[in-house]
Amino acid sequence: MRLTSLLRPAAAELVFFVHLWISPARGAAFDPVQLPNINLEQLGRVALTGDFDSISLYTYQQQTQNPFSANGSQALITQLPNGDYTAAATADAYIKTMCPFIRDNGELAGIVVGGNFTSLGGIETQGVAMYDPNTNNITPLPGLLGKVSAVYCDQDTDTVYVGGDFKGANSTNAVAWVGMTGWQNLPFAGFNGPVDTITKAPNGNIIFGGTFTGLGNTTAPVKEDQQIVNLASANITSGSTTEEDGFNEPNSIVCPTPGQDEAGSTWLLEDRTPGFWRADLNFGFQPTKLRLWNTHQNGRGTKTFRFTALPLNGIMNMTYNDPATGKKTPCDADGARCPLSDNTSLPYQDFEFYNIVGMSAFQIDISDWYGDGAGLNGIELFQDDIYAYAVPDLNEPNCANIKLGSNSTPTGPWLTAPSGQSQSQYLTIDLASEDVQSAGTSVVFRPNIRQKGNYSVTVYTPGCLQDNSCDRRGIANVTGIFTEGGSPIPPQQISQTNNFDKYDQIYDGPVDVNTDSFRATVTLAPYTQQDEEILLVAQRVRFAPTNYTGGLNGLFEFDPASGSTLTDFSKSAFDQAGINLQPEAAVTSLAVVGGISYVGGNFSDIAGIIQNIFSITDGNATSLPNGGLNAQVATFQVFGDLLYIGGNFTNTATGNVAGLNNFAAYDTISRSWLALGSGVRGQVNTIVPLELNITENQPETCITVNGHFDRLEAFESAPAVPVQGFGVWVPSRQNWLQNLDLTTRRITGKLSTATNITGSKPLLAGTISSQGVPGAQGAVELTSDPLQLNSLGVKIQPEPVASPKRKRAINGQDVSGAVTGIFHDRGELNVTVIGGHFTATATNGSTINNLAFINGTGAVSGLGSGLDDDSVFLALAIQNDILYAGGTVSGQLDNANVNGLVLYDLAGSNFAYPQPPALGGDNVAVYAITTRPTSTQVYVAGNFDTAGSLGCPSVCMFDNGQWSQPGSGLEGSVAALVWQGNDRLLAGGNMTINGNSTRLANYDARNQQWTALDGPESAVPGPVTSLTRANKDMSNFWIAGKSSNGSAYLMKYADSRFQSIGDGGRLGDQTTIQGLAMLGLDDAHDKSDLVGEMMVLLITGSLDVPNFGNASAALYDGKNFIPFILSTSGNGPGSLSQLFSEKEVNFDSSGGRMKLGFVVLIGLAIALGVTFLLVVAGILLERYRRRAEGYQPAPTQYFDKTANLGRIPPEDLFGRLGQRGGAPML
């Protein structure tokens, strides 16, 4: 079953587990990464622990570890060959709809993408664009302003029908893209309300659905020039102004007082001198009328002037009513100079602009005067647009004596930001600030509505690039009330992550005129269900009057073949079906199955037999069984003969079918409702298909459900499952994926829509974070040949740390997930141990807390009772078959307290008895445990003061059932231990020796003495948290930690000095290094003084890799940091704690394999040598055999050959050869 294109948006939380089908496909090329050829054979088994729920090797340049976006921005998403998802093109807001535009010649022009974005793939494009899946190129489709909610690609007419909430050309909310020639107006000029869905009817006509009631476009208001442009807040300047006191202030003519032509209210120029008056405003405007009051001070006055729009520098043409004739007259065409009368009986003159032009400043140039010079007594500027600005000073001026002028009320410590590349100044507030209370933060906009009527209300949002706030922007919650006695509109969420300026329509309908008892208002506030540390902006709200041809109600049928608009709506079954609905119907979904059209939304019919869904067939609208559904339908998805439906319903209209909670299916063949489980608790917004591997290597289409729900409802034997707005229904299993016991991949994020691409993988839209090892959570095995990650068979569920005592005192990091691990293979005992702060499920179904055991057969088990559930294991070691497990461990075993360390008998699968006396001190924690080579001694290090009754700070030794203090004088916190031979121990941390501070210390086990490491203490910039050897005898080693300024450091100690990784290649300041390990290579890298050419340093933690970003592990070859492993945890980057292995790295044999040429030469030499030895051995054996059988050497003397020649005559020798009857005789 192929995926079908969805035409509705989704904004659903997505946390699910899937094993994804990876199919071969054409499409954009992905760039593979060549990782170093690591050789792990000498280490035996190798594993990694950490805090992650998904993980993968960095194998393609398009991979990232970034979390999914939660601020409203989304992306086009495609699948990499390794199964991970990657963003093909990132948008700055929601992507709501897509369709493949296949031309009438069968070629794919691209994927048409619609939403409320202002940029896609870094390309500025308003609401709609074309995406090429073969090249990842974005082609803007300019001309629309607003958001696109629905697209329908019609191959038959070579047309893309686009609907939404926008303006384009001479259309509103609907327009067509024809071939590749561009936008074309539809004959009906769009709709007076938003379009939410578009489909093609069985008869070939295009069906539009939405919340419109008529056809048409916006129109000019009946009352023109309604709003006064606020000049009081402008920067006023002038030229050639008089020096006479009281008449030299150009600001004095703003907001004129009638009848006061005197000092303080009049502005004059110098005698007989031309000059100018200029206003620079903090916002853009489109003036329609200029009103001027001329001065008559001492016979002076302005005679001619012209108006220049800035920054366009365009001289504006205007008309005026000639006082002498009373007729409308154009200003002088030569230079567009307008006359101003000196008639004292005229209080002012109005000049109307011939063209409406946008500007942010203007200048009046005065060229002639009456009497001794020019001047003005007043000025006002008007516009048709009705705006309310967030910055109060930009609204209509108070001095204009407007009773109910536009205004705004900000609540909270908002700051005014400059307009930049936007149309006006705006307000901004940082919700992360300590003095901001999100619950009380808002801006209330109040427009000056002088005329009752229908208005389109839009909210403007300034772009985030101009103020570099894109990474801080979030979502605004907008509400409004527009009629006296009416109810507020439902809250609408507006993403503010747009790169460039945008607007969102929030309402289209009646708005009442301002009165003393009522004013229309729009309120903008933070959206509560998001990160509270966002930046919120508020700019302006516009009210635009609308005009339309009425008679529709949410549905309209358009015949492309006729090329005209059918105004007799009764001839269309769709139009008539909408008209028969109750007023203000909202159609959200359209679908066609088996030649029958289905309509869903929020409506009921006048007859009372249709509720929220119906079908149209044979020209008739028909109710579905049981009257439809009892509440709103939000989305459809067709799958075979089934119509999947999501919304806010709980049953049919008559309440006869149980289990239809917000998610249900309708069987179009049997005409019956189907319960899908028992639905979900909460609203479903969108249904998106996704192909998954439910059965091994058998991909099938599953149904993903997105919305504002928190639970998959229980049904039959399946329990209720808590979720975060996302579920996956598996049709073949008739169950939720979350209820099925499958090997799964974890993906987190949000999906909005999906579409098919012929011959390629489906294209998704939304925001997703995924990594590629199914079933790997918290711990994973690393293998080579090939290099890959594999699940260890235990799913770690990290537990957050609430208690301050559970923090690692060395680095201040809260501990969550798997922290440490160890392999043990001795005799018949084969076990892997994982420790940290987590829960897991044992093979027998019981809950495991913080320490898990995986035996050789894969069975998973945990500890018995006795330890506190909030214990955290940070260090492990094994002596014989006894596990030493340390950390912030507490509890009681056999009536004895446990603190910091517990012993466990791996052979007996129970706690060892007796346990060591408990460690003591404030915030006891064990960070490192190591066994002394060729000894039974176990050294335990961390943050403690005593062991039982023994004073034994920081490092203590356990042997033969009792504690001993190794040396004296050491105090502080020790994070890492490594042996430098059999008798010398290196400790790293934050310590003192005899009161002197040090980061590294040596312990001589023979002399029982601690000494600070040679070299200045200041060479190590902060406490050591990680430590690993750099050569065989540990005379060289690597250390890492956090410096005093909070940044991570990485250093190597060699030749009695420290070498720091330089600033040019160091890890970013947000890095936390948790583990270090040296690994061998099969192939040499470039030579470096820091890392041998057949070795590489593995760094684990939460890393900020130069020129890359977040990673959980990186490789360092002495010159470059190479991203190695990426992981995520929930909606955020994951981290890796450490690598552990069966064996230690062998520096003598590191490098593993020789070059192939050397292998061939050596093989040939060995073969020749073996051949030579075989020949020699054969000769010796033959001589031995002959000697054993009595063979004697032949005589070597030379004898007389002629001595006996005469003894036998020749005839006697050969005479009988021819005779028969006997053998020849001599």
Side-chain angles (χ1 to χ4, degrees):
M1 183 62 62
R2 295 184 70 248
L3 306 186
T4 56
S5 176
L6 299 182
L7 301 178
R8 284 287 300 154
E13 294 297 327
L14 170 67
V15 178
F16 69 106
F17 304 87
V18 293
H19 191 170
L20 294 160
W21 173 47
I22 304 173
S23 61
R26 67 177 177 87
F30 301 112
D31 303 313
V33 174
Q34 184 65 45
L35 292 173
N37 200 1
I38 297 174
N39 179 10
L40 301 175
E41 293 179 357
Q42 60 178 301
L43 299 179
R45 293 187 65 195
V46 179
L48 296 149
T49 57
D51 182 8
F52 58 85
D53 49 37
S54 63
I55 188 169
S56 67
L57 294 171
Y58 176 59
T59 54
Y60 288 90
Q61 292 181 17
Q62 289 77 16
Q63 286 177 260
T64 71
Q65 188 177 277
N66 297 331
F68 70 82
S69 170
N71 62 2
S73 60
Q74 296 185 338
L76 298 176
I77 300 167
T78 188
Q79 196 174 21
L80 294 168
N82 67 355
D84 289 354
Y85 284 109
T86 186
T90 300
D92 59 2
Y94 289 110
I95 297 172
K96 296 180 178 294
T97 181
M98 297 188 293
C99 69
F101 184 24
I102 300 175
R103 300 291 307 281
D104 51 5
N105 60 7
E107 294 182 357
L108 177 67
I111 307 299
V112 180
V113 182
N116 69 340
F117 48 81
T118 65
S119 73
L120 182 64
I123 305 297
E124 182 175 2
T125 178
Q126 286 277 348
V128 64
M130 190 91 72
Y131 168 70
D132 186 340
N134 296 314
T135 64
N136 279 352
N137 290 336
I138 300 295
T139 301
L141 305 181
L144 302 187
L145 292 175
K147 65 180 178 182
V148 171
S149 299
V151 294
Y152 184 85
C153 296
D154 185 22
Q155 183 178 0
D156 295 336
T157 60
D158 202 26
T159 300
V160 181
Y161 295 94
V162 179
D165 180 6
F166 56 79
K167 294 180 181 179
N170 293 318
S171 294
T172 302
N173 302 327
V175 72
W177 180 272
V178 180
M180 296 304 291
T181 61
W183 297 112
Q184 289 189 12
N185 293 314
L186 294 168
F188 49 88
F191 301 93
N192 70 317
V195 172
D196 292 316
T197 179
I198 306 173
T199 194
K200 191 174 186 177
N203 63 4
N205 289 347
I206 303 300
I207 311 302
F208 295 86
T211 55
F212 48 82
T213 56
L215 307 175
N217 208 331
T218 59
T219 185
V222 174
K223 293 183 178 180
E224 298 179 343
D225 313 322
Q226 293 191 67
Q227 191 162 40
I228 297 178
V229 178
N230 190 342
L231 300 179
S233 62
N235 178 34
I236 308 297
T237 57
S238 62
S240 301
T241 298
T242 182
E243 295 182 358
E244 185 177 351
D245 290 341
F247 298 96
N248 57 359
E249 290 294 336
N251 301 69
S252 63
I253 64 173
V254 176
C255 292
T257 301
Q260 293 186 4
D261 187 4
E262 57 191 27
S265 60
T266 298
W267 167 74
L268 299 179
L269 290 175
E270 294 178 353
D271 291 350
R272 293 173 294 279
T273 304
F276 70 87
W277 188 96
R278 173 170 172 156
D280 289 85
L281 288 78
N282 294 312
F283 57 93
F285 56 95
Q286 293 180 309
T288 56
K289 183 174 69 177
L290 170 69
R291 176 171 292 174
L292 291 178
W293 283 259
N294 207 349
T295 182
H296 306 287
Q297 183 69 220
N298 297 324
R300 291 172 173 262
T302 296
K303 191 172 185 178
T304 59
F305 72 94
R306 70 182 182 188
F307 186 103
T308 302
L310 301 172
L312 302 176
N313 237 5
I315 299 173
M316 303 296 293
N317 293 313
M318 294 187 288
T319 62
Y320 67 100
N321 287 328
D322 190 333
T325 64
K327 295 181 179 180
K328 180 176 286 189
T329 305
C331 293
D332 182 7
D334 182 16
R337 298 190 183 277
C338 295
L340 191 61
S341 174
D342 66 341
N343 188 340
T344 58
S345 63
L346 287 177
Y348 56 81
Q349 273 186 271
D350 288 341
F351 299 83
E352 296 180 355
F353 292 90
Y354 188 80
N355 295 310
I356 307 302
V357 175
M359 61 192 75
S360 60
F362 67 91
Q363 182 169 303
I364 295 175
D365 293 290
I366 299 173
S367 55
D368 201 359
W369 50 89
Y370 299 104
D372 291 334
L376 292 172
N377 181 233
I379 182 172
E380 282 185 342
L381 204 60
F382 297 84
Q383 63 180 5
D384 284 343
D385 294 338
I386 302 172
Y387 286 104
Y389 292 88
V391 179
D393 289 344
L394 304 187
N395 289 302
E396 291 181 294
N398 295 328
C399 61
N401 296 319
I402 303 172
K403 183 178 181 181
L404 297 171
S406 63
N407 64 67
S408 62
T409 304
T411 302
W414 294 84
L415 301 175
T416 301
S419 58
Q421 302 300 315
S422 186
Q423 289 294 313
S424 73
Q425 291 179 330
Y426 55 94
L427 297 182
T428 178
I429 189 168
D430 189 348
L431 298 181
S433 177
E434 295 181 357
D435 58 348
V436 173
Q437 298 294 327
S438 297
T441 298
S442 67
V443 175
V444 179
F445 300 85
R446 300 179 188 88
N448 183 2
I449 304 297
R450 301 182 182 182
Q451 172 187 337
K452 182 178 180 178
N454 290 289
Y455 288 81
S456 170
V457 182
T458 52
V459 175
Y460 288 76
T461 305
C464 61
L465 289 180
Q466 61 182 346
D467 59 6
N468 296 317
S469 64
C470 295
D471 59 341
R472 293 287 316 281
R473 293 278 190 96
I475 301 172
N477 193 68
V478 180
T479 59
I481 184 167
F482 303 105
T483 57
E484 189 169 9
S487 300
I489 63 171
Q492 298 188 40
Q493 286 74 52
I494 296 178
S495 169
Q496 297 194 329
T497 57
N498 47 291
N499 289 345
F500 307 97
D501 285 11
K502 70 160 185 172
Y503 70 82
D504 294 271
Q505 179 175 292
I506 62 167
Y507 176 76
D508 189 285
V511 178
D512 285 347
V513 69
N514 288 355
T515 66
D516 292 336
S517 60
F518 173 79
R519 295 198 65 173
T521 60
V522 173
T523 302
L524 183 148
Y527 181 50
T528 56
Q529 299 181 21
Q530 66 179 331
D531 186 354
E532 293 185 353
E533 297 188 355
I534 66 164
L535 200 70
L536 195 69
V537 296
Q539 188 180 50
R540 56 180 175 153
V541 175
R542 182 191 185 205
F543 285 68
T546 58
N547 185 32
Y548 55 88
T549 301
L552 295 177
N553 193 16
L555 279 172
F556 178 68
E557 180 178 5
F558 171 63
D559 181 2
S562 69
S564 61
T565 302
L566 181 67
T567 56
D568 185 358
F569 301 140
S570 64
K571 294 183 178 181
S572 166
F574 288 90
D575 297 353
Q576 189 60 46
I579 294 170
N580 290 336
L581 300 176
Q582 294 285 355
E584 300 183 3
V587 175
T588 60
S589 305
L590 295 169
V592 177
V593 187
I596 299 176
S597 301
Y598 293 87
V599 180
N602 188 11
F603 51 73
S604 60
D605 72 330
I606 297 173
I609 60 175
I610 290 176
Q611 293 285 334
N612 302 302
I613 187 171
F614 64 90
S615 65
I616 296 179
T617 182
D618 298 328
N620 296 311
T622 306
S623 172
L624 267 59
N626 308 107
L629 295 168
N630 64 357
Q632 177 183 0
V633 170
T635 185
F636 286 161
Q637 176 59 46
V638 178
F639 182 73
D641 297 324
L642 295 182
L643 179 66
Y644 286 91
I645 305 165
N648 198 30
F649 48 83
T650 57
N651 209 315
T652 62
T654 59
N656 296 335
V657 182
L660 308 184
N661 292 302
N662 307 300
F663 176 54
Y666 178 72
D667 189 327
T668 62
I669 301 298
S670 65
R671 289 180 50 87
S672 60
W673 293 103
L674 302 176
L676 305 175
S678 191
V680 300
R681 186 173 71 177
Q683 180 172 327
V684 171
N685 294 332
T686 302
I687 300 171
V688 180
L690 194 66
E691 288 188 338
L692 312 175
N693 246 4
I694 300 304
T695 304
E696 185 176 1
N697 297 323
Q698 294 297 320
E700 60 182 270
T701 299
C702 296
I703 306 301
T704 69
V705 184
N706 307 265
H708 299 295
F709 52 89
D710 61 2
R711 188 173 72 190
L712 309 178
E713 298 287 17
F715 69 100
E716 298 177 354
S717 60
V721 179
V723 294
Q724 293 180 306
F726 187 85
V728 181
W729 181 258
V730 184
S732 64
R733 305 290 184 92
Q734 286 297 292
N735 206 334
W736 295 103
L737 180 64
Q738 286 86 339
N739 289 328
L740 302 177
D741 185 17
L742 300 172
T743 301
T744 58
R745 172 191 303 273
R746 184 173 177 87
I747 300 177
T748 59
K750 297 178 181 179
L751 286 177
S752 57
T753 185
T755 191
N756 280 325
I757 304 174
T758 302
S760 185
K761 301 175 186 177
L763 182 68
L764 303 176
T767 172
I768 280 181
S769 174
S770 80
Q771 309 297 341
V773 180
Q777 294 171 247
V780 67
E781 188 171 15
L782 177 65
T783 61
S784 56
D785 286 335
L787 188 65
Q788 63 184 22
L789 298 170
N790 301 301
S791 172
L792 279 173
V794 58
K795 294 180 180 179
I796 303 295
Q797 297 293 331
E799 288 290 315
V801 180
S803 173
K805 77 174 185 175
R806 301 303 182 194
K807 291 185 177 181
R808 297 193 70 170
I810 294 289
N811 57 23
Q813 297 297 309
D814 289 339
V815 176
S816 181
V819 178
T820 185
I822 194 169
F823 292 111
H824 184 57
D825 190 355
R826 183 171 181 263
E828 297 182 357
L829 189 60
N830 183 355
V831 62
T832 302
V833 186
I834 305 294
H837 192 214
F838 58 82
T839 61
T841 301
T843 302
N844 63 10
S846 62
T847 298
I848 297 171
N849 290 303
N850 309 314
L851 198 67
F853 304 97
I854 309 167
N855 68 19
T857 65
V860 181
S861 59
L863 296 169
S865 60
L867 298 183
D868 297 336
D869 290 345
D870 65 346
S871 294
V872 181
F873 291 94
L874 305 174
L876 303 174
I878 295 175
Q879 181 67 271
N880 295 324
D881 291 333
I882 301 299
L883 172 70
Y884 289 73
T888 54
V889 183
S890 59
Q892 194 171 64
L893 299 173
D894 294 325
N895 297 318
N897 290 331
V898 173
N899 195 14
L901 181 72
V902 66
L903 271 57
Y904 188 81
D905 186 347
L906 295 174
S909 298
N910 51 38
F911 290 108
Y913 181 83
Q915 290 288 317
L919 300 173
D922 296 332
N923 299 325
V924 169
V926 170
Y927 300 132
I929 307 174
T930 184
T931 58
R932 184 180 178 184
T934 66
S935 169
T936 59
Q937 297 175 356
V938 179
Y939 284 73
V940 178
N943 187 66
F944 49 83
D945 299 323
T946 61
S949 60
L950 174 69
C952 195
S954 307
V955 177
C956 210
M957 187 265 288
F958 188 77
D959 190 22
N960 295 322
Q962 65 182 10
W963 290 107
S964 300
Q965 182 181 8
S968 62
L970 180 70
E971 293 183 346
S973 188
V974 176
L977 295 174
V978 178
W979 285 97
Q980 298 174 300
N982 295 336
D983 303 317
R984 194 170 184 83
L985 180 65
L986 177 64
N990 191 17
M991 305 161 285
T992 62
I993 298 178
N994 298 321
N996 298 315
S997 177
T998 187
R999 314 296 193 194
L1000 293 162
N1002 282 121
Y1003 175 66
D1004 187 333
R1006 289 179 177 244
N1007 298 323
Q1008 298 187 14
Q1009 184 176 0
W1010 289 98
T1011 57
L1013 186 68
D1014 291 339
E1017 185 269 336
S1018 60
V1020 181
V1024 173
T1025 58
S1026 301
L1027 176 64
T1028 194
R1029 67 182 69 235
N1031 62 354
K1032 181 178 180 180
D1033 62 4
M1034 193 56 187
S1035 59
N1036 299 342
F1037 54 85
W1038 288 92
I1039 60 172
K1042 286 277 190 180
S1043 59
S1044 57
N1045 63 6
S1047 63
Y1049 69 83
L1050 176 64
M1051 306 180 77
K1052 182 182 181 181
Y1053 182 81
D1055 300 325
S1056 300
R1057 66 185 183 90
F1058 289 100
Q1059 297 172 269
S1060 179
I1061 304 303
D1063 291 339
R1066 69 182 181 86
L1067 296 167
D1069 290 341
Q1070 301 304 312
T1071 293
T1072 297
I1073 297 174
Q1074 294 178 264
L1076 301 171
M1078 294 296 296
L1079 301 176
L1081 299 176
D1082 283 332
D1083 300 306
H1085 57 69
D1086 293 341
K1087 290 185 178 181
S1088 166
D1089 293 336
L1090 292 170
V1091 180
E1093 59 184 353
M1094 297 303 293
M1095 302 292 292
V1096 68
L1097 176 66
L1098 173 70
I1099 307 164
T1100 55
S1102 179
L1103 313 179
D1104 181 4
V1105 179
N1107 303 316
F1108 178 77
N1110 293 329
S1112 298
L1115 301 172
Y1116 182 64
D1117 62 6
K1119 294 182 178 179
N1120 302 300
F1121 290 99
I1122 306 164
F1124 182 45
I1125 297 176
L1126 311 179
S1127 72
T1128 59
S1129 178
N1131 182 28
S1135 63
L1136 287 176
S1137 295
Q1138 62 179 243
L1139 176 144
F1140 65 96
S1141 58
E1142 283 186 303
K1143 305 172 185 177
E1144 292 186 351
V1145 64
N1146 187 341
F1147 287 87
D1148 289 338
S1149 61
S1150 63
R1153 301 169 186 164
M1154 292 184 178
K1155 299 285 186 180
L1156 180 61
F1158 289 111
V1159 172
V1160 171
L1161 290 174
I1162 293 174
L1164 180 61
I1166 292 174
L1168 291 174
V1170 169
T1171 302
F1172 174 76
L1173 291 175
L1174 288 173
V1175 171
V1176 172
I1179 293 173
L1180 294 175
L1181 287 172
E1182 179 64 15
R1183 290 176 64 87
Y1184 175 79
R1185 182 183 67 81
R1186 288 174 177 270
R1187 185 170 302 231
E1189 292 179 358
Y1191 280 83
Q1192 297 296 324
T1196 59
Q1197 293 181 343
Y1198 183 81
F1199 58 91
D1200 184 5
K1201 296 180 180 180
T1202 62
N1204 296 318
L1205 286 179
R1207 292 184 182 181
I1208 301 176
E1211 61 271 18
D1212 289 339
L1213 179 62
F1214 301 108
R1216 296 177 180 248
L1217 289 178
Q1219 299 178 5
R1220 297 180 179 272
M1225 298 180 61
L1226 295 178

